[in-house]
Amino acid sequence: MMASGSSGVVVRRGRCSVVRGAALRAVLERHGSVLFDCDGVLWNGEAAVPRAAEAVRALTSRGKQVFFVTNNCTRPRANYVTKFSRLGFSDVTEEQIFSSAYCSAQYLRDVAKVQEGKVFVIGCQAIRTELQEAGVSVVEEVEPGSQTGTIYDYPLDPDVRAVLVGYDEHFNFIKLAKACCYLQNPDCLFLATDPDPWHPLRGGRIAPGSGSLTAAVETASGRTATVVGKPGGFMFECIAAQFAGVEPARSLMVGDRLETDILFGHRCGLAATMLTLTGVSTLQEALQRRDQEDGGAGAGDRKEGLAPDYVVDSVADFIEAYREEEEEEEEEG
Ligand SMILES: [Mg+2]
C-alpha cells in the first residue's frame, strides 16, 4: 500500500526496514504518540525486557504521549499499574492502559449500551471487575468446578443482552452450552475480548488464548463474534476519545505480533507500525509477509497490513538511538 507522508512524499508501507541509531531516532521523532503492546514487547511474563522501562521513559521525557494497548484481559487496569511498577516502569498511570477487558467494558457501555440488561461472561475475574467498574451488569456465575449435569439443569437469565468471551481457565461444556442458548436470540450481542489463539509460556509450552474459546462458541452457535481487541480498531477509538490531540497520522504502533499489533496499526490508519523481535513474530515471518504483499507467491489470498514498516531488535534500541543524539549534541556544544 502507498501512503502520503507528512512531507508530501509518497512512501511505501510495510517495508520491514530494520532501523537503529539515527534512522530509528528520526522515526521516533516523527510521532507524537507511541502505542505499545505489553507482552513480548515490554515484558515476557514476569521478566521485563531489559531496559524497556528506560526506553519508555526516554519517550515520555521527550514529550511523547505513551499508551499501552494489550489484548491480555487477565488483569484489571489497577492491577496493571502494579505490574508496571513492579517491573520498574515508574509513572505509568491507569489512564494510559487500554486492555481488552477495559475496552470491552467501554464497548458494552458506550456502543452497545447494555445498561438495561446483563452480560453473560465466559472469562476471568478481571473482565467481570472491569464490567462492574463501567456499571455493566454481569450474570452471576456459579463456582468453577461445580457445573455438573446438563444444560437443562441451569436456568437462563432473561435479561442477557450480550455474551462476552475472553480468557477463561475454567472454560467448560456448560458455559459453552449457555452461551449458545443466549446467542440463539439474534438480538443478543456476541463479543470477544481478543482473537489471540495461544500464548507462549516458559519451556516451549503454550496456553490456549481467548480466540480458541471464541472459536468454540462461534462453531457451536453459528455466529461470528465482534472482536474488541487488536486487530480491531476499537482500542484506538477509546484512546482518541479520551486524549485530545491523539491522531492516527501522528501515531506509531510498537508490537511483537504481526496478526494483532501490526495489523491493528494498519487498520487504524496509524502513521507507522514497528515490530520488535522480543516476542512472538520473527523477522523472517515479517519479510515473508512483505514479499506476499508485494504480490509474490500466494498473492491470491494475501492479507494486507501484516508487514511492519520498521523492525527493531528490542525497544531498548530506542535508548541507544537517543544516546547518539546526546553525544552529537555534546560534540556540537
Ligand atoms: Mg504481544
Side-chain angles (χ1 to χ4, degrees):
M1 122 171 215
M2 310 288 259
S4 184
S6 54
S7 58
V9 177
V10 173
V11 289
R12 289 199 69 183
R13 298 295 304 268
R15 300 319 296 158
C16 298
S17 306
V18 178
V19 281
R20 46 174 75 90
L24 173 55
R25 191 170 75 233
V27 171
L28 297 173
E29 285 312 289
R30 278 202 293 275
H31 301 95
S33 316
V34 181
L35 283 64
F36 285 100
D37 173 45
C38 298
D39 292 284
V41 175
L42 305 178
W43 57 63
N44 281 296
E46 276 302 311
V49 166
R51 306 189 75 189
E54 220 181 305
V56 170
R57 263 197 304 279
L59 296 175
T60 45
S61 71
R62 283 167 176 81
K64 307 221 176 278
Q65 284 181 294
V66 171
F67 303 102
F68 306 97
V69 285
T70 174
N71 274 358
N72 187 327
C73 59
T74 62
R75 292 169 193 276
R77 280 175 131 188
N79 194 309
Y80 264 110
V81 173
T82 317
K83 175 159 187 177
F84 270 104
S85 138
R86 187 167 67 240
L87 296 185
F89 297 81
S90 51
D91 308 328
V92 170
T93 64
E94 262 184 62
E95 289 69 33
Q96 291 172 278
I97 301 166
F98 292 81
S99 74
S100 61
Y102 171 78
C103 292
S104 294
Q106 303 297 297
Y107 188 95
L108 286 163
R109 188 190 64 194
D110 301 338
V111 181
K113 302 190 195 300
V114 294
Q115 281 86 333
E116 302 293 299
K118 293 181 189 167
V119 178
F120 176 71
V121 175
I122 291 179
C124 47
Q125 184 53 41
I127 298 175
R128 293 165 194 281
T129 304
E130 290 290 10
L131 261 55
Q132 279 151 7
E133 295 250 319
V136 174
S137 303
V138 178
V139 178
E140 274 308 314
E141 198 42 86
V142 290
E143 285 298 304
S146 69
Q147 300 196 355
T148 54
T150 73
I151 186 67
Y152 290 114
D153 300 317
Y154 296 89
L156 294 173
D157 193 315
D159 295 329
V160 167
R161 299 282 177 274
V163 168
L164 171 63
V165 183
Y167 185 79
D168 190 344
E169 291 178 343
H170 303 287
F171 184 73
N172 63 34
F173 190 82
I174 292 296
K175 288 184 186 181
L176 174 59
K178 282 190 210 170
C180 294
C181 289
Y182 289 126
L183 289 169
Q184 282 194 305
N185 174 3
D187 294 329
C188 181
L189 192 74
F190 182 13
L191 278 190
T193 55
D194 67 89
D196 291 12
W198 53 272
H199 301 282
L201 301 178
R202 273 179 289 113
R205 303 214 172 188
I206 62 166
S210 311
S212 62
L213 309 185
T214 304
V217 181
E218 287 185 330
T219 302
S221 68
R223 294 191 46 185
T224 304
T226 298
V227 177
V228 172
K230 298 171 286 184
F234 185 68
M235 282 176 147
F236 189 79
E237 285 175 36
C238 281
I239 297 174
Q242 293 179 22
F243 290 84
V246 176
E247 294 162 24
R250 295 193 65 240
S251 300
L252 169 70
M253 175 68 206
V254 184
D256 72 305
R257 215 165 185 159
L258 302 176
E259 306 80 16
T260 47
D261 303 321
I262 302 305
L263 188 56
F264 166 79
H266 183 84
R267 285 195 179 159
C268 295
L270 304 194
T273 56
M274 182 180 283
L275 177 71
T276 172
L277 300 175
T278 46
V280 172
S281 299
T282 63
L283 177 58
Q284 204 182 6
E285 284 163 353
L287 293 172
Q288 233 166 35
R289 289 296 183 182
R290 181 191 67 184
D291 294 343
Q292 282 172 4
E293 290 177 16
D294 278 350
D301 58 1
R302 74 185 190 216
K303 277 193 191 166
E304 293 223 328
L306 289 154
D309 300 315
Y310 306 105
V311 181
V312 293
D313 288 329
S314 157
V315 293
D317 293 359
F318 295 5
I319 307 159
E320 202 62 24
Y322 281 125
R323 200 172 61 81
E324 285 179 22
E325 172 191 49
E326 283 155 18
E327 283 171 4
E328 282 160 28
E329 277 168 9
E330 272 169 33
E331 280 166 30
E332 280 164 23

